Amino acid sequence: LMLYSELLSEEELTPQMRSNVEAIRQQSEKLHFLIDSLVKLSRLENGILTLSPHPQPLQPLLDEIAAQYTRKADEKGLTLTVLPTAAAADFDGKWTAEALGNLVDNAIKYTPKGSHIVIRTCKRDGKAVVSIADDGEGMSDEMKARVFDMFYSGANKIADSRRSLGLGLSLCKSIINAHGG
């Protein structure tokens, strides 16, 4: 469907047809994300995918995440900052990048224009703790209790019109738990 919608979009179309093709493309992307996320979650939870954590510094990973999401933040009028850290930890770079990237993406999606998102690291009980903070409206207590549940998607007036599938934060939780966090 995604390929078909791309091919159609190259054709001369009426505005209504172009709108329909765009809707097909967006829904195809959602379906692809849904299937991909469910497969990852299933593999992580069933031990099919195993993490390969090893000691490494956090700064290069945090800089990579910031580089990946800075343009998206800029487009929304947000500032994304990574505070420098000398911290190191045992982590699987690929899976940790997946989890942190999802958290940063959510911060961008649910933070109002003109706000600030900060990625910082501190040490707590001998462990490195990475936090992603924004100055958005925050969450209700009900949302805080359920935000990592699979398929939970709280209402948020700031997010763009695309409705969340409620899988990203569940996947983050599985990845962090697999690291012992």
Side-chain angles (χ1 to χ4, degrees):
L1 286 174
M2 288 177 10
L3 177 60
Y4 182 62
S5 66
E6 286 177 27
L7 290 171
L8 280 176
S9 68
E10 294 174 4
E11 298 296 320
E12 194 170 316
L13 303 171
T14 67
Q16 178 63 42
M17 292 169 81
R18 189 158 304 283
S19 175
N20 290 342
V21 168
E22 179 60 20
I24 290 170
R25 187 193 62 74
Q26 286 179 358
Q27 293 305 312
S28 297
E29 286 177 0
K30 273 189 175 180
L31 183 59
H32 182 267
F33 175 79
L34 174 68
I35 292 168
D36 191 43
S37 295
L38 285 171
V39 168
K40 287 177 187 176
L41 274 167
S42 175
R43 289 179 176 170
L44 275 170
E45 290 176 357
N46 291 307
I48 295 169
L49 286 177
T50 55
L51 304 182
S52 300
H54 60 280
Q56 52 191 312
L58 282 163
Q59 191 68 50
L61 174 67
L62 302 179
D63 290 341
E64 177 185 316
I65 297 293
Q68 184 178 352
Y69 287 95
T70 295
R71 191 174 117 230
K72 187 173 184 176
D74 288 345
E75 287 172 356
K76 193 169 173 189
L78 303 172
T79 305
L80 176 60
T81 304
V82 176
L83 298 180
T85 183
D90 287 348
F91 63 93
D92 181 302
K94 176 186 175 210
W95 288 102
T96 303
E98 173 109 16
L100 293 177
N102 191 295
L103 293 170
V104 170
D105 188 55
N106 276 3
I108 293 168
K109 196 182 307 181
Y110 296 107
T111 301
K113 182 179 180 175
S115 295
H116 197 79
I117 298 167
V118 179
I119 303 171
R120 69 172 46 93
T121 307
C122 66
K123 285 284 199 176
R124 190 179 308 142
D125 299 325
K127 294 184 179 187
V129 177
V130 176
S131 68
I132 298 161
D134 61 63
D135 52 4
E137 69 181 37
M139 290 185 247
S140 67
D141 289 340
E142 178 198 356
M143 282 182 75
K144 286 178 188 175
R146 299 191 57 211
V147 72
F148 291 102
D149 293 349
M150 191 180 300
F151 299 116
Y152 176 76
S153 177
N156 187 302
K157 61 186 174 199
I158 294 170
D160 49 334
S161 60
R162 296 170 297 164
R163 184 88 171 130
S164 169
L165 298 170
L167 288 173
L169 292 179
S170 181
L171 181 59
C172 288
K173 180 180 178 183
S174 292
I175 293 168
I176 299 305
N177 287 344
H179 278 90

